[in-house]
Amino acid sequence: MPNITYVQPDGARRTLVAAAGSTVMQTAIANDVAGIVAECGGSAMCATCHVYVDPEYIDRLPPVSEVENEMLASAASERRETSRLSCQLSVGGDVDELVVHVPSCQV
Amino acid sequence: MTSQQVVIVGSGQGGFQVAASLRDMGFDGHVTIVGEESGLPYQRPPLSKAFLTGQMQHEHLLLRPASFFESRKISLIAPERVQAIARDKREVVLQSGRCFHYDHLVLATGARARPVKVPGAEQQRVVLLRGLADAIQVRAWLQRAQRIVIIGAGFIGLEIAAIAAAMGIETDVLDFAERGLKRSVSAFCADFLATAHATAGVRFHFSTAIAHISGSDGIATGVVSADGRHFAADMVLVGIGVEPNTELAQEAGLEVSNGIVVDCHLQTADPAISAIGDCALYPSAFFPRPMRIESVQNAVDQARCVASRIAGKPASYHKVPWFWSDQGAYKLQIAGVASEADQAVLRGDMSTGKFSVFRFHNGRLTAVESINRPGDHLAARKLIEAGTLLSHEQAADDNFKLNQRAA
């Protein structure tokens, strides 16, 4: 089972075991991880599940789609090279481990 | 502050958000949600989308896990119905006979699917889609159906039509209007989506009134139109809009028309009672007259506004409404609210499957409908919020930078 580690702005880390095929957003919501709002429920429509992927892992992920790219422009915290919408990041397969940093605000 | 009691009627996305936001804002009084559906609060939008296709499982519909409610001391009473509001005593009376005192009462009672009023509508295999129980039933029937008739070419009807056609089910969509999504989007957008769905196999029958639903042994077998055509089906889905749940407010003597009437702070005439989300009729600088908006964004933003007031930071509600819908391969996003008569200016090339339609009333931008153009949608939210002047030529010019205009 894949592992996802969520790092809060204050440095607190929490590692969760995720179901294969589930997204970083779904795993966060199901385990009450602070700082992931996910207002639209995973449709890439609201940019409130924004995360910064740890640089070590960024190359293992599929590329940003056009929709995700445009929606990231509306994220409440600054957009960086490592910015992703966590509803678009599935774990399992090649991605058996992932570290993401939760931004300071989502709305 | 510590002795304050907030009671929220309704455990949908709005009701849930009031409770969550109160805790986020440091409110330390009692917070109680009373919900009619059993189980934890869940998201409704996927019920007509990923949940029906099986891509999304039940556990992923939940807005938050049980531990969230425990750790934040939010008491959820469900399934339970609020029978009455005793405003003089500031009490809600539950069907079970229990009573709760409130200092603030938030009505987030939502809306219910409007039933179709024709003979035969009471038969089995005629279904309205609103709640999780409905969606579970629709999902099961879709697995076995060979033919479906959908009454109403609105958002729900078209979302389900796209799913049914993709499953190989013969799909007929009937609507009394001459086109789909008539109350929601421009003809540009509606016609584009209808063509896309038709290409995927959906058959549309516009300007078609319903006479009755045919049946055999109490099970629906199809729909008969007023002009006598029979559309055979082994399930009939009714998607003709919703009606706000206003009875509780009305019986409590609060003003009700097409929704529970609230002011710009989302407060009823009784300062201890607010209403939010699908059930609330509110005034806004973005509408010509008070309106009731059915969307997740509206429910969530209004919930935050009311929670903020209860937590001691009152502010008027001033948000541009926005919506989204998954229509087969297309993502439709709408910012603002247009009237049917508003002018429609096209931006982009419809044949690419990526375009926006800008709606204007008396030269003012009222709404923007975007198909697979989230950048336009995001810029539109800002343009409408700021009341930025935009000419028809600028809207139509794909080289004109909306972002810079909106900044």
Side-chain angles (χ1 to χ4, degrees):
Chain A
M1 296 283 255
N3 280 321
I4 307 172
T5 300
Y6 299 84
V7 187
Q8 293 295 329
D10 66 2
R13 298 170 78 90
R14 198 169 153 203
T15 300
L16 297 168
V17 177
S22 64
T23 67
V24 174
M25 179 279 282
Q26 286 168 336
T27 307
I29 295 296
N31 293 282
D32 194 8
V33 172
I36 306 279
V37 175
E39 207 163 288
C40 80
S43 294
M45 288 289 108
C46 71
T48 64
C49 67
H50 176 206
V51 295
Y52 304 115
V53 175
D54 196 276
E56 197 186 319
Y57 298 88
I58 197 89
D59 293 335
R60 302 187 201 176
L61 298 171
V64 179
S65 73
E66 211 174 332
V67 166
E68 184 183 345
N69 181 41
E70 291 187 36
M71 288 308 295
L72 274 167
S74 72
S77 293
E78 68 159 330
R79 182 174 181 177
R80 300 180 196 154
E81 295 253 317
T82 55
S83 286
R84 295 298 301 257
L85 295 183
S86 61
C87 68
Q88 302 300 300
L89 302 176
S90 295
V91 290
D94 292 344
V95 188
D96 60 345
E97 191 186 47
L98 196 58
V99 177
V100 298
H101 300 261
V102 178
S104 55
C105 66
Q106 295 282 12
V107 289
Chain B
M1 215 47 185
T2 46
S3 63
Q4 293 254 319
Q5 300 204 31
V6 176
V7 174
I8 300 157
V9 186
S11 60
Q13 197 138 11
F16 161 78
Q17 189 65 50
V18 173
S21 291
L22 280 169
R23 292 305 186 218
D24 285 348
M25 292 168 187
F27 178 81
D28 60 0
H30 296 277
V31 177
T32 303
I33 303 175
V34 185
E36 285 189 11
E37 290 179 84
S38 59
L40 295 168
Y42 61 88
Q43 312 166 54
R44 253 177 242 287
L47 298 183
S48 56
K49 306 178 180 78
F51 182 75
L52 280 191
T53 62
Q55 281 169 295
M56 191 187 217
Q57 297 309 313
H58 183 182
E59 76 244 36
H60 291 140
L61 288 177
L62 298 181
L63 285 162
R64 291 294 182 274
S67 60
F68 178 94
F69 297 86
E70 287 155 21
S71 66
R72 285 158 183 81
K73 295 190 166 55
I74 295 167
S75 46
L76 175 66
I77 302 177
E80 174 66 279
R81 202 180 159 86
V82 176
Q83 192 91 314
I85 305 166
R87 284 169 56 197
D88 51 344
K89 291 186 282 187
R90 289 198 177 170
E91 270 180 10
V92 290
V93 183
L94 308 189
Q95 199 159 40
S96 61
R98 292 168 80 185
C99 288
F100 281 91
H101 170 76
Y102 62 83
D103 296 293
H104 290 276
L105 179 67
V106 183
L107 301 175
T109 49
R112 56 182 174 264
R114 179 180 292 136
V116 65
K117 286 173 183 148
V118 296
E122 71 296 340
Q123 298 175 101
Q124 287 180 46
R125 306 275 171 90
V126 178
V127 68
L128 305 165
L129 178 53
R130 180 69 190 173
L132 178 58
D134 303 328
I136 289 169
Q137 191 172 54
V138 172
R139 187 165 72 168
W141 285 349
L142 281 173
Q143 294 300 328
R144 298 196 292 265
Q146 291 175 349
R147 300 196 63 168
I148 182 172
V149 170
I150 296 170
I151 301 176
F155 285 125
I156 298 283
L158 293 188
E159 286 178 350
I160 294 165
I163 289 166
M167 292 171 78
I169 299 168
E170 280 192 58
T171 306
D172 289 286
V173 177
L174 280 54
D175 199 302
F176 69 90
E178 74 284 3
R179 66 167 172 90
L181 299 171
K182 193 153 162 45
R183 287 170 303 141
S184 316
V185 298
S186 63
F188 280 124
C189 231
D191 293 346
F192 174 85
L193 290 171
T195 304
H197 291 315
T199 306
V202 177
R203 291 187 296 247
F204 287 100
H205 311 274
F206 292 121
S207 306
T208 299
I210 312 299
H212 67 272
I213 295 172
S214 60
S216 167
D217 296 330
I219 298 173
T221 55
V223 174
V224 177
S225 61
D227 57 10
R229 286 173 290 163
H230 183 246
F231 301 89
D234 30 40
M235 68 182 284
V236 176
L237 187 124
V238 180
I240 56 170
V242 299
E243 295 167 344
N245 293 322
T246 56
E247 290 78 1
L248 188 63
Q250 188 158 26
E251 284 157 18
L254 296 167
E255 191 185 350
V256 159
S257 62
N258 173 34
I260 302 168
V261 174
V262 292
D263 64 14
C264 64
H265 290 88
L266 309 174
Q267 192 172 290
T268 67
D270 181 336
I273 305 179
S274 304
I276 61 162
D278 287 15
C279 69
L281 185 79
Y282 70 100
S284 163
F286 305 116
F287 316 144
R289 68 193 72 80
M291 286 191 74
R292 203 172 56 70
I293 299 292
E294 298 154 14
S295 80
V296 166
Q297 170 275 327
N298 184 67
V300 168
D301 282 336
Q302 293 196 335
R304 291 195 182 109
C305 176
V306 167
S308 182
R309 169 156 50 84
I310 294 172
K313 287 187 182 155
S316 61
Y317 182 74
H318 187 76
K319 294 275 184 188
V320 176
W322 57 269
F323 313 81
W324 83 91
S325 175
D326 288 328
Q327 299 278 329
Y330 299 100
K331 281 221 184 275
L332 168 65
Q333 292 170 285
I334 305 172
V337 176
S339 300
E340 222 181 297
D342 289 3
Q343 288 167 288
V345 176
L346 180 65
R347 180 186 182 86
D349 180 355
M350 287 173 77
S351 68
T352 63
K354 293 177 190 176
F355 63 93
S356 293
V357 180
F358 285 64
R359 310 292 303 275
F360 291 92
H361 180 76
N362 289 340
R364 196 174 58 87
L365 183 65
T366 52
V368 177
E369 304 148 7
S370 301
I371 304 261
N372 288 1
R373 298 242 311 201
D376 284 2
H377 171 74
L378 294 171
R381 285 194 216 162
K382 291 183 187 155
L383 288 167
I384 295 169
E385 179 163 14
T388 309
L389 286 174
L390 190 74
S391 69
H392 289 200
E393 291 71 26
Q394 288 168 334
D397 179 2
D398 226 347
N399 295 314
F400 180 80
K401 297 270 184 282
L402 291 173
N403 265 335
Q404 288 169 17
R405 186 74 180 179

